[in-house]
Amino acid sequence: MIAGRPLPRAVRLPRFRHLSTRLSVLYTALFAAALIVVAVVGQIMILNHAKQSVRAELATSGSVYDRIWALRARALASSGDVLARDFGFRSAVASGDRATIASAVANLRERADVPNAFVVDQSGEVIGDGPNDLRSIVSGLPTSLTGDRADATVMTRDGAYRVLASPIMAPIKIGSVVFAVPLDAKEIAALQRLSAIPLTATILHRSPAGHWISSDARVPSTPALDTMIAEGVSDTTPTTIDLPDGRVFALVKRLKGRNGVPEAVLLLSYPQAKALASYRTLQLGIALAGVLGLIVVLIGSRRLAESITRPITALDAAAKALEEGGSIQVAVAGSDEIGRLAESFNLMSAGIAEREHRITHLAFHDSLTGLPNRTYFRQQLEADLTRAAKMRGKVIVLCLDLDGFKGVNDTLGHPVGDSLLHRVGGILATLAVDGLVARLGGDEFAIILTDRDDADRPRALAQLILDKLRLPMSVDGHQIGCGASIGIAVSPGDGDDPDTLLKNADLALYRAKRDGRGVFRFFEPALDAAARKRRQLELDLREALQTGQFRLNFQPIFDLKADRIGGFEALLRWEHPERGNVPPIDFIPVAEETGLIVAIGEWVMLEACRQAVSWPGHVRVAVNVSPLQFRSSGFSNVVFQALSNSGLAPQRLEVEITESVFLEDEGSVVALLHRLRAMGVRIALDDFGTGYSSLSYLRSFPFDKIKIDKSFVDTVAQDASSAAIVRAILDLADALHMETTAEGVEDNEQLARLRGQGCGSIQGYLFSRPIEAGMVADMITERMTAAA
Ligand code: C2E
Ligand code: MG
Ligand code: MG
């Protein structure tokens, strides 16, 4: 093939679907080719061998004939010599006594056993019987035959004769005794008998046209024969010529004629077919052996090819099965390359299966607890729901969330939190052996229980889990009692698809948390409606932020000692186009849960400072900050931005926080408070007295102000204990050098009581409700004028 160019169609090898067929055909073809080469070489060698032996035989026959003729000639010559030396005979010849010569010749013919004998005198007269044609040739012999004794093969009409002449000397040559032996059928047969092989001897003579032919026309004239004889190539070397009967091995002997010109030729021939006949068995044997060999090779190569391809086919099938996801092992036979390949394949297949198993496990299991993950849980839930739908059964989903897990993480660190999750996973798995326990993420777990006779099982299991998790457990050397809340949803009533059922179990969980944690709740449709409402509220809140539906109201804080407005508290207002005025108590919790409070609070901070900068220098602005916003990473930046953007003096800004900011990571909260303080910003503790351990927080940070919660103020005039608490708070604040504001003062009685107890400032409807931003300046002026 020429690089880049495909083979022409004619020489393209056939394509086989099976390797075994290809190998068998290849081996057989190679063997057949080898066989053909051997057969051809064998044939050539047989032919050569046959040629050589036939040629040798022809050559031998030729020379044997020469030798026998020489012996015969010598015998005839001596008979002739005896007569030629006889005195009487010489006298008869010299005197031309024909009768005596004729009788001597007849006598000689008999003695020598020659068919023809003559005496020819110097004038060419012939005495003796014989065919006329021969006689006329003999008559010319004295001139045509030279030397003392000469012989020649002459051609007459009756055929070829070998003539031999002996001179008659008296003392000069006066004639010759001539013998003529016909080269007839008898002579030829005698010659043929001399040979070990049945060769054919033929006498050829020249036709009138000058071509060499045989007398009986057995050998017609062929140019090849003419050329061969003319060139005299094969007098002693046999050659191959084509005759009408077929190809023959031939040896031509040019018989010496009169005046040295050959008149007859002896052709010794042997048909090649006959020469090869004796080798026929050998050839047949070779052919048979070849065919048998071919069959053996065909069968053997087929079996060999199959022994190679069988494992390859098995490997092929196994590879396909592997591709389709099955794990296949191939039987290993032998330790050759294929055996080793099969072994490697098995190792690879096992490796892939193992890795796939690991990947599947990783994809469907939670690495921390080893429990199924959300993906697996959802698939299982879907399968269970499908099955339950067919069998009219139920599927129960329990959603569980650890109470206060974040606190564990924050206070004891994430490794301890992880260990706790691992422990809880283990506990759930042991308690819910009849169900599927999964970790959905964070501290959220879920359990699927399928249809069972015991209708009380979900309730019992939930209670069992709650009781168990409520007990303190030892995790990494820490005693942790975390507790949990559980929401339960039951199909098909609470949803017949995984998403709805999970969502409803989640709503029930949310409800359980709202109901004080550490309890379980079943889903109720009302929860769903509430959730929907909440979701809509959330969407509306986002829109409100984008479309500027928020504004601020300001409620004055009246300084009782200075008898003037000491500041205003910024209070968020939301005017929704359809909902109307939405109270903060309704939307702030949602904003906190969704994290929107961070962005909303940022707006409040910037807006409050922007407004306050236009007020008189002694009037402060108080801004409420939710715990989530306070803990958000950029909060101190927001404060800084608000101050620098507006140019408000930091000491005119008061940040109001509630005790709940301390619930998580008190240390960093205090650090942030100090940072704000360092900026010059004031910090007030809002709704004081409503938390669990209000007093302890006062130790954590030196607040600038304490705002006494409205709930104490409400009854301060009627209830002695409330009055006592308010007094205690005021004394405490005094001792800690903190200012005080009483919230929600609605009547003069309350005012009088608070003033009497030394409260610093008051805020409430008695003095003023929250007012629009635009009215603040007027109110300040009005109050200042009134005071004057
Ligand atoms: P808060 O910080 O304690 O604010 C005082 C609340 O008491 C205000 O309610 C105010 O209108 C109300 N109030 C004042 N005087 C009286 C009175 O004499 N009688 C009665 N019945 N109520 C009085 P508002 O504006 O509805 O706000 C409720 C709560 O919403 C606030 O309590 C505060 O916790 C939160 N809030 C309001 N604005 C924001 C804000 O911009 N950011 C954050 N995070 N929370 C805010
Ligand atoms: Mg407040
Ligand atoms: Mg308050």
Side-chain angles (χ1 to χ4, degrees):
M1 198 174 103
I2 301 159
R5 227 185 281 169
L7 282 171
R9 197 164 254 285
V11 293
R12 220 177 274 168
L13 296 170
R15 285 178 175 277
F16 298 104
R17 250 183 69 72
H18 298 289
L19 181 62
S20 59
T21 316
R22 200 158 84 203
L23 285 174
S24 326
V25 168
L26 183 72
Y27 287 146
T28 313
L30 282 176
F31 185 77
L35 217 61
I36 288 169
V37 170
V38 168
V40 167
V41 170
Q43 189 66 23
I44 291 170
M45 284 170 71
I46 287 171
L47 201 64
N48 277 345
H49 188 258
K51 262 185 200 169
Q52 260 161 25
S53 51
V54 171
R55 278 171 180 169
E57 198 53 49
L58 287 174
T60 312
S61 300
S63 54
V64 165
Y65 174 76
D66 283 348
R67 211 152 333 126
I68 287 174
W69 174 251
L71 283 174
R72 186 106 179 264
R74 212 174 303 147
L76 288 175
S78 64
S79 303
D81 283 352
V82 170
L83 182 65
R85 273 199 297 271
D86 183 88
F87 181 75
F89 179 69
R90 278 192 292 179
S91 306
V93 174
S95 62
D97 180 357
R98 291 188 64 94
T100 309
I101 296 171
S103 133
V105 166
N107 201 4
L108 178 65
R109 201 173 61 198
E110 233 157 85
R111 229 178 328 122
D113 188 24
V114 184
N116 304 292
F118 308 93
V119 167
V120 56
D121 66 15
Q122 285 304 91
S123 63
E125 191 181 339
V126 178
I127 300 147
D129 293 335
N132 288 339
D133 201 19
L134 180 63
R135 286 173 61 87
S136 74
I137 288 171
V138 170
S139 136
L141 277 182
T143 49
S144 57
L145 288 180
T146 47
D148 277 358
R149 186 178 303 127
D151 71 306
T153 303
V154 298
M155 219 39 226
T156 70
R157 279 196 207 94
D158 311 313
Y161 286 86
R162 206 117 200 210
V163 294
L164 183 88
S166 296
I168 306 166
M169 307 295 285
I172 56 150
K173 186 177 172 186
I174 53 168
S176 297
V177 177
V178 177
F179 295 104
V181 181
L183 291 177
D184 55 6
K186 190 174 143 222
E187 190 74 14
I188 293 298
L191 178 63
Q192 286 179 173
R193 273 198 303 279
L194 287 174
S195 172
I197 55 167
L199 56 78
T200 311
T202 317
I203 298 294
L204 304 180
H205 65 277
R206 270 187 204 275
S207 69
H211 301 300
W212 290 95
I213 53 168
S214 73
S215 325
D216 54 5
R218 235 172 23 90
V219 179
S221 86
T222 62
L225 202 59
D226 290 347
T227 325
M228 202 169 85
I229 295 168
E231 288 172 0
V233 283
S234 62
D235 264 22
T236 50
T237 326
T239 186
T240 315
I241 55 167
D242 288 311
L243 292 182
D245 294 348
R247 179 166 284 196
V248 296
F249 295 113
L251 178 76
V252 289
K253 291 190 78 68
R254 285 181 301 177
L255 303 173
K256 195 169 79 181
R258 284 168 284 173
N259 300 320
V261 180
E263 291 167 36
V265 164
L266 177 65
L267 174 72
L268 295 176
S269 66
Y270 191 73
Q272 186 173 296
K274 262 193 195 159
L276 292 175
S278 58
Y279 295 96
R280 208 50 88 212
T281 342
L282 182 61
Q283 284 173 321
L284 218 73
I286 290 175
L288 201 69
V291 170
L292 281 177
L294 211 59
I295 292 168
V296 169
V297 165
L298 190 67
I299 294 169
S301 61
R302 179 94 211 154
R303 298 194 71 162
L304 176 71
E306 271 174 10
S307 76
I308 295 171
T309 55
R310 202 176 303 122
I312 293 178
T313 312
L315 276 171
D316 181 35
K320 278 205 184 85
L322 194 67
E323 189 199 344
E324 282 157 16
S327 168
I328 294 292
Q329 293 289 300
V330 179
V332 179
S335 57
D336 55 10
E337 286 85 345
I338 292 181
R340 289 202 299 278
L341 178 64
E343 215 169 85
S344 306
F345 178 86
N346 285 345
L347 285 175
M348 183 185 80
S349 167
I352 289 175
E354 208 267 327
R355 273 198 297 281
E356 269 185 0
H357 178 76
R358 262 208 330 258
I359 290 167
T360 315
H361 193 270
L362 279 178
F364 288 108
H365 287 80
D366 163 47
S367 56
L368 179 63
T369 58
L371 291 173
N373 62 12
R374 184 182 284 275
T375 315
Y376 185 92
F377 179 84
R378 218 189 150 284
Q379 280 181 12
Q380 190 60 41
L381 183 57
E382 192 159 359
D384 286 345
L385 282 169
T386 314
R387 204 173 313 119
K390 278 185 199 144
M391 301 168 72
R392 297 173 179 279
K394 286 180 181 172
V395 177
I396 301 107
V397 170
L398 287 82
C399 275
L400 180 145
D401 193 286
L402 294 183
D403 296 333
F405 176 70
K406 194 170 185 320
V408 175
N409 250 353
D410 288 349
T411 51
L412 301 176
H414 285 268
V416 179
D418 287 352
S419 301
L420 175 66
L421 289 174
H422 189 262
R423 270 295 276 289
V424 170
I427 290 171
L428 294 180
T430 17
L431 293 181
V433 274
D434 49 343
L436 174 96
V437 181
R439 180 176 168 225
L440 303 187
D443 58 344
E444 225 186 309
F445 292 85
I447 300 167
I448 305 175
L449 293 177
T450 39
D451 203 18
R452 42 194 63 259
D453 299 331
D454 187 359
D456 203 38
R457 174 65 182 160
R459 186 184 297 273
L461 177 63
Q463 195 55 58
L464 202 65
I465 293 170
L466 293 180
D467 292 346
K468 182 80 186 174
L469 291 184
R470 200 169 290 133
L471 300 174
M473 50 188 139
S474 171
V475 178
D476 293 352
H478 301 278
Q479 286 297 111
I480 304 175
C482 69
S485 304
I486 297 175
I488 306 169
V490 182
S491 82
D494 299 344
D496 53 7
D497 66 282
D499 291 335
T500 313
L501 202 60
L502 250 173
K503 186 198 81 185
N504 288 344
D506 235 20
L507 286 173
L509 170 66
Y510 182 69
R511 177 60 179 267
K513 285 210 175 272
R514 288 252 308 255
D515 285 357
R517 302 168 183 249
V519 293
F520 67 85
R521 290 286 178 269
F522 277 87
F523 170 77
E524 293 162 21
L527 290 180
D528 195 25
R532 258 185 247 276
K533 254 175 86 179
R534 205 179 138 277
R535 174 86 191 128
Q536 190 53 51
L537 193 68
E538 184 189 330
L539 292 175
D540 290 350
L541 266 180
R542 284 184 198 281
E543 200 189 327
L545 192 61
Q546 280 162 9
T547 56
Q549 293 171 13
F550 291 121
R551 64 194 160 76
L552 289 183
N553 272 8
F554 293 93
Q555 187 176 31
I557 298 166
F558 193 75
D559 190 333
L560 291 176
K561 296 207 173 103
D563 198 26
R564 62 177 182 181
I565 293 173
F568 285 84
E569 179 175 4
L571 292 164
L572 187 57
R573 295 293 175 260
W574 179 20
E575 180 86 32
H576 186 263
E578 286 156 28
R579 295 173 188 269
N581 258 330
V582 188
I585 196 84
D586 286 349
F587 72 82
I588 290 215
V590 177
E592 279 185 328
E593 281 163 25
T594 55
L596 271 172
I597 194 70
V598 176
I600 295 173
E602 190 178 332
W603 178 83
V604 171
M605 183 63 74
L606 290 167
E607 178 64 11
C609 291
R610 194 179 68 84
Q611 294 284 346
V613 79
S614 60
W615 305 339
H618 70 275
V619 182
R620 297 187 192 120
V621 65
V623 177
N624 292 287
V625 175
S626 98
L628 195 82
Q629 183 194 359
F630 189 78
R631 284 195 304 268
S632 68
S633 56
F635 178 67
S636 54
N637 250 349
V638 169
V639 174
F640 182 79
Q641 284 277 317
L643 290 173
S644 51
N645 282 5
S646 60
L648 187 76
Q651 52 281 358
R652 289 180 63 197
L653 173 66
E654 197 165 73
V655 169
E656 287 191 15
I657 56 166
T658 55
E659 296 155 24
S660 50
V661 296
F662 290 101
L663 282 178
E664 284 171 26
D665 198 6
E666 194 178 322
S668 59
V669 168
V670 172
L672 175 56
L673 287 173
H674 278 292
R675 271 209 304 285
L676 292 172
R677 165 71 55 77
M679 281 163 66
V681 174
R682 289 163 56 89
I683 314 285
L685 191 56
D686 203 357
D687 303 339
F688 186 78
T690 53
Y692 292 109
S693 51
S694 306
L695 289 179
S696 72
Y697 299 127
L698 295 181
R699 256 193 349 192
S700 307
F701 186 76
F703 292 96
D704 295 289
K705 180 189 267 187
I706 294 173
K707 294 187 82 173
I708 303 164
D709 192 67
K710 181 174 178 295
S711 55
F712 302 112
V713 175
D714 279 347
T715 49
V716 75
Q718 300 90 31
D719 184 13
S721 57
S722 289
I725 290 171
V726 170
R727 179 189 304 239
I729 294 172
L730 290 172
D731 286 349
L732 190 65
D734 195 38
L736 294 172
H737 308 292
M738 296 177 186
E739 293 176 14
T740 47
T741 297
E743 294 185 285
V745 181
E746 291 181 346
D747 55 47
N748 284 316
E749 235 175 302
Q750 291 166 348
L751 173 63
R753 194 56 73 87
L754 290 163
R755 197 196 286 273
Q757 289 180 350
C759 182
S761 54
I762 57 151
Q763 181 183 352
Y765 293 170
L766 174 68
F767 190 72
S768 167
R769 284 182 175 258
I771 55 166
E772 294 295 329
M775 294 163 66
V776 170
D778 287 348
M779 179 177 272
I780 295 170
T781 324
E782 192 183 303
R783 281 290 154 181
M784 283 181 31
T785 324

